[in-house]
Amino acid sequence: MPSVYLYIPNIIGYFRIIINFIAFAVCYSNRLLFAILYFFSFVLDGVDGWFARKFDQASTFGAVLDMVTDRVSTACLLALLSQCYRPGLVFLMLLGLDITSHWFQMYSSFLSGKTSHKDVKNTGNWLLKVYYEYRPFMAFCCVSCEVLYIILFLFADEKSTSLLSACRGVLKQGPLTVLVFISTLVGWAVKQVTNIIQLVSWHYKSISNRSKMGKKVSMQYFAYSFCRVIN
């Protein structure tokens, strides 16, 4: 049995990190190449999951590596967009929502003894269940979100411009571009709603767990769970 660090999906995860480094290194000099590399890294996010299930190589380390890579790459792209458009605060707020909602989800999952933040069997919210248990739906929302950000980056001017003006400019493009843009807007909106629900519901769940276990005990359990990731 190979080390968890040498699992096929985790090796793909390392490869994704390298691709993202290259993509952001050329983001200003070659936007098209950046878009291709960034999207390819995003596609590999689904490939590593398939390998994990195919070869029974799912691990807590792999789940954390996968989520951290996703969050950091999306955060970097949102940071870029905050410099391209006005108001840039919109993208920084989206960045904060994306990171905090997933962090709370992962934290509370560890407190519940789960190995993946995608395990939502005990949640009472129907949208979270549909999002995480029906993979085509989750894939649509995730792809829509990333493609929307890539489109906005490709259409960004060299000087900071209004976000609404850029959106109107995209809507003046060909029918296919408009269709893709509107479709991605829908998927993006659903994902943001899911992030908000995720943040609120899992926040209250973590408070409930801490009230039952005690603050000191819950933090110790989280430390123990985190050690499981790196061991």
Side-chain angles (χ1 to χ4, degrees), residues 31 116 119 169 191 223:
R31 292 191 182 188
S116 174
D119 186 352
K191 191 173 190 303

Side-chain angles (χ1 to χ4, degrees), residues 105 114 117-134 137 190-205:
Q105 177 108 343
K114 299 176 181 178
H117 66 287
K118 297 179 182 179
D119 186 352
V120 293
K121 294 179 180 178
N122 298 326
T123 186
N125 187 275
W126 65 270
L127 183 57
L128 282 181
K129 287 184 176 180
V130 172
Y131 182 81
Y132 280 112
E133 294 181 355
Y134 188 57
F137 179 71
V190 173
K191 191 173 190 303
Q192 303 319 308
V193 172
T194 303
N195 282 343
I196 294 173
I197 296 174
Q198 184 171 259
L199 176 61
V200 174
S201 63
W202 287 103
H203 173 66
Y204 282 116
K205 185 173 181 178

